[in-house]
């Protein structure tokens, strides 16, 4: 009797021949996924200039500043991707199917999931927009297409002189830090070294930044990257992989060797793992 790891009927799960689970079943060489990521700081919120923390909070990104330093486990990421099915956008577990929902995004990391969609809004003059919102145009050596190097943003907007209190200048720094979170943590591209300047279209007004459904956009991007990572030949996984790890810790607490920490008051559930 021939036993296979795939579905009995492939009408729905039609991608089994390229799915990583097929290669695991065939005892091919183990694949250890790398999380594409370039976090702005590894020293928690203390690594963020104090002058812009209120602006990050106003924009809805302060929780990301607190969580971004947490390392993503390659082993856990690999194990979860092996159980992800791109045809259904669900994890196939021994007990059934499950997936990350918009509710999980809001509860775990505090990103808004309701509001205006984060959609392309034409093709503005990117360099002019950068000059308007960042106060400087990145040199051509730091730009590739519509993307700018994250290292350039870090070098030019990493630290703030203590005596700067001009709100317009502080807004520019906060804008650059949000760009770094987008390109380094939330929606990293294949290089993990660049971020699109087109995000600036949504960062023009700090009064309305948090009215966009960032959580929905981030979850959709993570779904897409999980799907592409199920191909055995793909060596890495992009998207907000930290969200995936926080979800796994919360939904499968036996993964952790210690009891779940308490949830800090008035904060997303994911912040309970800040001390791990």
């Amino acid at each position: 009797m021939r036993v296979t790891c795939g579905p009995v009927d492939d009408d729905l799960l039609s991608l089994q021949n390229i799915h990583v689970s097929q290669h695991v079943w065939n005892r091919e060489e183990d694949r250890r996924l790398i999380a594409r990521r370039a976090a702005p700081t590894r020293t928690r919120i203390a690594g963020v200039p104090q002058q812009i923390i209120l602006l990050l909070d106003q924009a809805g990104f302060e929780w990301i500043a607190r969580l971004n330093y947490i390392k993503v486990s390659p082993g856990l990421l690999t194990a979860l991707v092996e159980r992800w099915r791109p045809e259904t956008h669900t994890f196939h577990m021994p007990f059934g199917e499950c997936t990350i929902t918009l509710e999980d995004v809001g509860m775990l990391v505090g990103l808004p999931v309701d509001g205006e969609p984060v959609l392309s809004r034409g093709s503005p003059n990117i360099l002019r927009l950068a000059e308007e919102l960042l106060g400087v145009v990145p040199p051509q050596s730091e730009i590739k297409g519509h993307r700018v190097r994250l290292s350039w943003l870090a070098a030019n907007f990493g630290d703030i002189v203590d005596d700067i209190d001009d709100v317009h200048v502080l807004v520019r720094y906060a804008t650059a830090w949000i760009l770094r979170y987008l390109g380094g943590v939330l929606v990293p591209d294949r290089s993990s070294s660049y971020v699109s300047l087109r995000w600036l279209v949504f960062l023009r007004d700090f009064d309305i930044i948090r009215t966009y459904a960032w959580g929905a956009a981030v979850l959709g991007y993570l779904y897409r990257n999980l799907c592409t990572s199920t191909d055995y030949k793909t060596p890495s996984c992009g998207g907000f992989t930290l969200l995936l790890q926080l979800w796994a810790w919360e939904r499968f607490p036996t993964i952790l060797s210690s009891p779940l920490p308490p949830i800090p008051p008035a904060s997303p559930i994911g912040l309970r793992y800040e001390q791990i």
Side-chain angles (χ1 to χ4, degrees):
M1 180 178 177
R2 183 172 181 268
V3 180
T4 67
C5 68
V8 175
D9 188 335
D10 62 2
D11 285 347
L12 177 60
L13 303 182
S14 58
L15 302 176
Q16 183 61 32
N17 62 322
I18 62 170
H19 197 277
V20 62
S21 63
Q22 186 68 47
H23 297 269
V24 172
W25 179 263
N26 292 336
R27 298 183 178 181
E28 296 183 34
E29 184 179 354
D30 286 344
R31 180 191 69 165
R32 191 175 179 84
L33 279 175
I34 299 172
R36 294 200 295 270
R37 191 171 179 223
T41 175
R42 297 190 183 278
T43 54
R44 310 186 187 185
I45 195 69
V48 181
Q50 291 294 314
Q51 300 98 316
I52 66 170
I53 288 178
L54 288 179
L55 286 169
L56 293 178
D57 184 43
Q58 180 184 354
F61 285 87
E62 192 210 358
W63 301 123
I64 305 303
R66 292 180 178 274
L67 290 168
N68 80 81
Y69 80 96
I70 299 176
K71 293 182 179 180
V72 177
S73 166
L76 179 57
L77 175 62
T78 302
L80 288 170
V81 169
E82 287 174 358
R83 289 157 178 78
W84 178 262
R85 296 302 309 205
E87 303 94 337
T88 59
H89 290 165
T90 56
F91 296 100
H92 284 211
M93 300 294 189
F95 53 79
E97 296 180 57
C98 57
T99 195
I100 309 174
T101 65
L102 289 173
E103 182 181 39
D104 290 319
V105 178
M107 293 178 64
L108 285 168
V109 297
L111 286 175
V113 296
D114 297 315
E116 291 294 315
V118 182
L119 299 174
S120 176
R121 298 191 170 188
S123 301
N125 187 316
I126 294 298
L127 296 184
R128 185 181 302 168
L129 190 60
E131 184 175 20
E132 174 190 345
L133 300 185
L134 299 177
V136 60
V137 177
Q140 285 298 320
S141 59
E142 303 293 335
I143 294 178
K144 181 180 293 186
H146 56 82
R147 302 177 300 157
V148 63
R149 286 185 188 274
L150 291 167
S151 58
W152 180 84
L153 289 171
N156 287 272
F157 298 94
D159 299 313
I160 303 177
V161 179
D162 291 338
D163 60 358
I164 290 182
D165 56 6
D166 186 325
V167 66
H168 298 292
V169 175
L170 294 180
V171 165
R172 290 173 179 172
Y173 274 86
T175 301
W177 273 77
I178 293 174
L179 271 182
R180 293 171 66 192
Y181 289 128
L182 288 167
V185 183
L186 299 173
V187 286
D189 65 11
R190 290 184 179 275
S191 71
S192 300
S193 302
Y194 288 84
V195 61
S196 174
L197 289 171
R198 291 176 179 172
W199 291 113
L200 290 173
V201 173
F202 303 97
L203 306 180
R204 278 176 163 158
D205 188 342
F206 268 68
D207 290 328
I208 65 172
I209 290 176
R210 69 186 311 150
T211 66
Y212 291 109
W214 292 103
V218 165
L219 182 60
Y221 189 75
L222 176 61
Y223 270 27
R224 185 171 71 177
N225 279 273
L226 287 173
C227 291
T228 57
S229 295
T230 59
D231 188 330
Y232 178 73
K233 296 179 180 179
T234 303
S236 61
C237 183
F240 193 12
T241 50
L242 175 58
L243 169 64
L244 175 63
Q245 178 162 294
L246 294 175
W247 173 82
W249 283 349
E250 190 67 29
R251 298 301 185 184
F252 309 102
T254 54
I255 292 175
L256 297 175
S257 58
S258 57
L260 290 180
I263 302 172
S267 67
I269 293 175
L271 205 61
R272 73 157 91 212
Y273 302 103
E274 184 182 20
Q275 303 303 323
I276 291 181

